[in-house]
Amino acid sequence: MVYIFQRLAFYALAAWVALTLNFFLPRLMPGDPATALVARLQGRLAPGALEALRETFGLTDAPLISQYFMYLSHVLRGDFGISVAYFPAPVSEVIGTGLIWTIFLAGTAVLISFAIGTLLGVMAAWWRGSWLDTILPPSLVFLGAFPYFWLAMLALYALGFTLGWFPLGHAYGDDLTPGFNWLFLSDVVRHGALPIGTVVLATLGGWLLSMRNTMVSILGSDYVNLARAKGLPPSRVVLRYAARNALLPSVTGFGMALGFVLGGSLLTEIVFSYPGQGYLLVQAVRNQDYPLMQGIFLVITLAVLGANWLVDIVYLWLDPRTRESGG
Amino acid sequence: MTESLLTIRDFCVDYVTDEGRVRAIDDVSLDVKRGEILGIAGESGSGKTTLVQALLRILPPPAVISRGEIMFEGKDILALEEEELRAMRWGRISMVFQSAMDSLNPVVTIGEQIEDTFRAHNAKGGRDRAAELLDMVGIPGDRVDSYAHQLSGGMRQRVGIALALALEPSLVILDEPTTALDVIVEREILQEVRQLQRKLGFSVLFITHDLARMLQVSDRVAIFYAARLAEIGPTNELRSNARHPYTRGLLKAFPPIGSGTEARDAHSIPGSPPSLRNPPTGCRFHPRCDQARPECAAREPHQTTLSEGHKADCILTD
C-alpha cells in the first residue's frame, strides 16, 4: 500500500513538472503566441470576451510568478481556456469528446493487439519450430514494417471504398444521434472496425515477438523444467509457470503503449477522419490553437503518467517481488 | 538392503549427430537398492546427467537409447506408456534440481507449488500437507505463503527437497543439489537428506563431482569416466581400497575433509577427459593414467569383481 502512494507521489511530482514546463515553454518562445492570437481575433470578440480570453491565457500585467499560480489554479479546475479552432467551446469540452473516442479507438486496439499478440507469442514459444512459430512472427513483423498510414489507406481503399464493407470515416453515421442503443453502438463498432483492425495488424508483431522471446528463455528455466518434471499438465506449466513470468516485461510495454496511444493515434485518426485526440491536435496546429494544443499536451502527459501508475499497480499484483522492494 | 529398487543392465545411450553416433553412456550396469544412497561421481560429460534423463525418460531429442534395460520396482521403464510414465515421474522417482535459486517459480507461493504437485497427480493433500512437508525439511510450516525471494538459498533448496518428497517417492535423484550453496549450508542440507532418508526409507541417487562430499553421504559410490562405469563399490571399500587409477586420482584431488591432508597435497589428474566422438582405444583412461601399460591401449578392460559389490574396470585388476 505504501508503495502505491509512493508511486502516486512520484507521479504527482512528475505531473507538476510537466504542468510547469507546459506553462513556461510557450512563454520562452520568441514572440508571444497568445498576443498574436488575441490580435487575430480582434474585432470578432466582444470586449468582455477578449478580456476573459486574455485572462485565461494569463496575459495580465501581473508578474510571471502570479501568472503561473493563476495558470495552476485554472488547470486544477479543469479550465484550459477557450479553443480557437472550435470557438467558442472551452478546450476542456473539446478535449473531452475527443478523449472518449480516442480511448475507445486506441484503447480497444491496444487491448486486442496486446491480448492476441501475447497469446500468439505464448503459442509460438510453446510450439517452437512449428509452422505457427516459423511463419507467423516474420509475416506479422513484415506487416508492421509497412508505414502505418500506407497500410491504413490501403485497407480503407480496398475494404471501405472498393468493396464498401466499411464506412469511410467518422466515429458513427451522421444520421444517428449518440445514445446507448443497439443501433448506435453497432454503428460505432462498424466505424471502428477498420481503424482498430489496421492498428492491431500493424502492432501485433511487436507483442508477439517480445512475448515469444521472453517465453522461450523462461521455458528453458529451471522452475519450468521442475514444473514439467513434477508431472504438471502442459497447460498449467505454460500458463502458470512460464507465461505468468514472461508476461512481466510485456506489461511494462503495454502501459507505455496505452499511455502514448491516449495522446492520440495521429495517423489512424487522420486517415479515417476519426474525431479523436490526434485529429484534434492536427486541427489545433493548423489553426494555431494554442490553448487546445496546451490542453492536449497536458492530457497526453497525464495519460502517460496515469498509465504508468496503473502498470505499477498491476505489477504489484503480478510480481510479488515488487511488493517488498518498495515498502 | 539387498533388494534392488532400480536395475540398469547393459545400458547405452547415443547422441545421433551429423557426423555419426556419439555414445554418451556405454554399456553401464548398476543397481540401486532399497533405502540406500548411491553416489554417482564423474567429470562433466561423463554421462551422469544423461543417465538421470534416461531414468525419467526425458532425454532431449538427438539422444536415443540404443541398448539395455532399466527395471524400476519390477517395471520396465523403457516400455512404459505415456500415462504410466507421468504417474511414475515424481510419483515414484522425483528429483531435486541443481540450482536452488532458480528452481522455484518466483510469482507463485511455495505452498501453491507444492499443492500443484498433489493436484497434478490426484494425490490427497492441500495447504496443511504442504505446511507439514515444509516442517519436515526444517522450514516453519507458516512459511507456506512465502515466495521464493523471501527465502535464503538453503531454505529454497529445502523447499526443493520438500517438493521432491511430496508424493512419497521411492527414489529421489539429487542432481548436484548443493552447487549454489556455501559449505555450511551444504552440510546441513545433506545431513537433512540423510535423516529424512533414514526416517522415510526412500533411496537416493546422489550426483555430484565433489567426491569428498559424496564419500561422506553415500552408502555406495559409482565412478563414471568417459561414458563408462570405471569403478563401483561400498563407500568405505572405495575410500580405503580404490583399485581404478582414475578413482585414486579423484581421491587425491579431493583430500577428505578432516583427514589432516592439506590442500597443497591435492593432486590433479593430468590431461582432460577424452572426446566421446573419438574415444581412445582400449581403456579410455590410459592416456591420462600414470600406471598405463602398452596393452591398455590394445584391449578393453573387463569388469572385475574384487570383493562383495566392489567392481573395477581396469586391466591391472584383471
Side-chain angles (χ1 to χ4, degrees):
Chain A
M1 259 350 234
V2 179
Y3 177 70
I4 294 180
F5 286 115
Q6 263 180 357
R7 299 305 291 168
L8 191 60
F10 170 77
Y11 287 126
L13 188 74
W16 171 72
V17 171
L19 274 175
T20 307
L21 277 177
N22 209 12
F23 169 78
F24 281 107
L25 274 183
R27 281 164 180 78
L28 288 174
M29 282 199 272
D32 184 349
T35 316
L37 199 73
V38 171
R40 235 162 50 103
L41 290 169
Q42 205 92 43
R44 280 168 58 191
L45 287 178
L50 197 62
E51 208 43 50
L53 197 60
R54 278 175 169 280
E55 193 172 313
T56 46
F57 277 116
L59 270 182
T60 49
D61 294 331
L64 206 58
I65 188 78
S66 64
Q67 283 184 37
Y68 173 62
F69 282 111
M70 192 184 295
Y71 157 81
L72 277 188
S73 80
H74 279 169
V75 166
L76 288 179
R77 275 182 276 138
D79 179 3
F80 300 109
I82 310 282
S83 162
V84 177
Y86 296 89
F87 188 81
V91 166
S92 50
E93 208 180 292
V94 176
I95 292 181
T97 21
L99 198 58
I100 292 174
W101 290 117
T102 295
I103 288 177
F104 166 70
L105 181 78
T108 318
V110 171
L111 264 175
I112 293 179
S113 179
F114 176 74
I116 298 181
T118 303
L119 200 70
L120 286 177
V122 169
M123 299 199 309
W126 183 247
W127 288 297
R128 191 141 55 116
S130 68
W131 68 267
L132 185 84
D133 184 36
T134 36
I135 294 171
L136 208 55
S139 40
L140 281 175
V141 169
F142 181 69
L143 264 182
F146 284 118
Y148 171 73
F149 65 87
W150 185 80
L151 197 72
M153 278 160 73
L154 198 72
L156 189 67
Y157 178 76
L159 301 176
F161 185 72
T162 311
L163 294 171
W165 291 350
F166 296 99
L168 294 175
H170 301 291
Y172 52 89
D174 299 331
D175 49 342
L176 291 173
T177 41
F180 202 75
N181 54 59
W182 170 245
L183 193 68
F184 177 71
L185 291 180
S186 64
D187 200 47
V188 166
V189 170
R190 224 165 60 81
H191 278 78
L194 264 193
I196 291 175
T198 48
V199 172
V200 168
L201 214 56
T203 53
L204 209 52
W207 296 121
L208 187 155
L209 218 56
S210 87
M211 188 64 183
R212 178 198 173 273
N213 292 347
T214 326
M215 268 296 277
V216 163
S217 73
I218 284 185
L219 279 173
S221 74
D222 286 321
Y223 55 86
V224 170
N225 279 336
L226 180 66
R228 277 193 194 136
K230 276 198 298 195
L232 299 192
S235 60
R236 200 161 174 83
V237 175
V238 172
L239 296 180
R240 200 172 158 79
Y241 284 73
R244 179 75 199 279
N245 281 287
L247 199 59
L248 296 174
S250 282
V251 166
T252 313
F254 178 67
M256 307 250 290
L258 206 60
F260 284 121
V261 110
L262 284 187
S265 5
L266 214 75
L267 291 174
T268 325
E269 291 175 5
I270 292 169
V271 172
F272 295 98
S273 325
Y274 208 83
Q277 288 272 75
Y279 184 73
L280 281 183
L281 189 58
V282 174
Q283 295 304 317
V285 172
R286 257 189 207 148
N287 294 294
Q288 289 186 299
D289 190 345
Y290 286 92
L292 187 56
M293 267 189 263
Q294 253 191 337
I296 291 176
F297 287 146
L298 203 64
V299 168
I300 294 175
T301 316
L302 293 180
V304 172
L305 292 175
N308 272 300
W309 189 54
L310 272 178
V311 167
D312 281 343
I313 294 175
V314 172
Y315 238 90
L316 224 46
W317 172 64
L318 278 179
D319 188 354
R321 282 166 295 185
T322 51
R323 280 175 216 163
E324 271 118 72
S325 54
Chain B
M1 270 293 274
T2 47
E3 195 194 343
S4 192
L5 177 73
L6 176 75
T7 313
I8 300 174
R9 286 287 171 269
D10 312 323
F11 193 64
C12 297
V13 174
D14 290 350
Y15 280 84
V16 182
T17 66
D18 294 340
E19 292 107 65
R21 290 180 161 232
V22 175
R23 188 145 283 192
I25 293 182
D26 192 5
D27 204 16
V28 166
S29 301
L30 58 84
D31 299 79
V32 180
K33 295 169 191 160
R34 275 190 198 276
E36 78 163 347
I37 298 185
L38 174 67
I40 294 186
E43 284 161 282
S44 306
S46 59
K48 296 172 296 185
T49 306
T50 307
L51 184 70
V52 169
Q53 286 171 335
L55 267 182
L56 292 167
R57 285 219 1 226
I58 50 172
L59 278 173
V64 290
I65 295 164
S66 49
R67 194 151 62 87
E69 60 168 20
I70 302 180
M71 299 293 285
F72 175 75
E73 293 186 322
K75 280 185 201 149
D76 184 357
I77 283 188
L78 304 181
L80 288 183
E81 297 291 317
E82 194 54 41
E83 205 42 43
E84 291 174 291
L85 206 59
R86 216 172 75 85
M88 183 210 74
R89 286 187 194 134
W90 223 260
R92 306 310 306 149
I93 304 181
S94 69
M95 188 164 170
V96 177
F97 278 60
Q98 189 167 5
S99 41
M101 302 298 163
D102 310 318
S103 52
L104 295 173
N105 185 344
V107 300
V108 174
T109 64
I110 54 174
E112 280 179 76
Q113 291 183 59
I114 298 177
E115 285 177 61
D116 265 351
T117 317
F118 300 142
R119 243 174 266 136
H121 291 267
N122 300 317
K124 258 184 241 145
R127 231 178 94 91
D128 296 343
R129 173 82 179 118
E132 218 174 273
L133 276 165
L134 287 179
D135 214 42
M136 193 172 78
V137 296
I139 296 176
D142 55 11
R143 298 300 296 265
V144 279
D145 293 324
S146 296
Y147 292 93
H149 72 276
Q150 294 166 322
L151 305 174
S152 67
M155 281 168 104
R156 281 184 226 177
Q157 198 53 291
R158 283 168 192 268
V159 174
I161 294 169
L163 269 172
L165 299 179
L167 301 170
E168 299 174 357
S170 51
L171 179 64
V172 177
I173 299 167
L174 302 179
D175 185 9
E176 301 188 24
T178 51
T179 355
L181 305 174
D182 65 66
V183 190
I184 296 172
V185 177
E186 178 183 10
R187 199 177 57 203
E188 282 172 10
I189 296 269
L190 292 178
Q191 277 171 356
E192 191 82 55
V193 169
R194 186 90 241 202
Q195 277 169 16
L196 287 168
Q197 187 260 337
R198 289 207 179 108
K199 200 167 96 188
L200 303 172
F202 53 86
S203 307
V204 174
L205 205 57
F206 179 39
I207 292 167
T208 184
H209 44 240
D210 184 346
L211 192 65
R213 192 59 74 199
M214 169 164 292
L215 291 172
Q216 285 183 318
V217 175
S218 311
D219 299 310
R220 286 194 307 138
V221 171
I223 309 283
F224 273 68
Y225 184 78
R228 287 187 182 163
L229 188 58
E231 187 163 11
I232 183 169
T235 305
N236 284 330
E237 172 81 12
L238 225 61
R239 194 186 278 135
S240 56
N241 195 21
R243 300 295 294 274
H244 198 291
Y246 177 62
T247 314
R248 290 195 200 162
L250 278 183
L251 286 169
K252 274 190 219 156
F254 293 94
I257 294 164
S259 65
T261 323
E262 296 290 328
R264 66 185 136 84
D265 296 328
H267 297 277
S268 63
I269 304 169
S272 49
S275 158
L276 294 178
R277 269 181 213 293
N278 190 16
T281 54
C283 170
R284 291 188 171 184
F285 186 62
H286 84 263
R288 298 171 74 188
C289 185
D290 52 5
Q291 296 168 46
R293 300 175 193 174
E295 67 246 50
C296 289
R299 72 177 174 93
E300 300 206 352
H302 302 289
Q303 197 166 66
T304 327
T305 305
L306 301 156
S307 62
E308 174 70 35
H310 185 185
K311 293 174 193 161
D313 216 9
C314 177
I315 285 175
L316 298 173
T317 62
D318 273 4

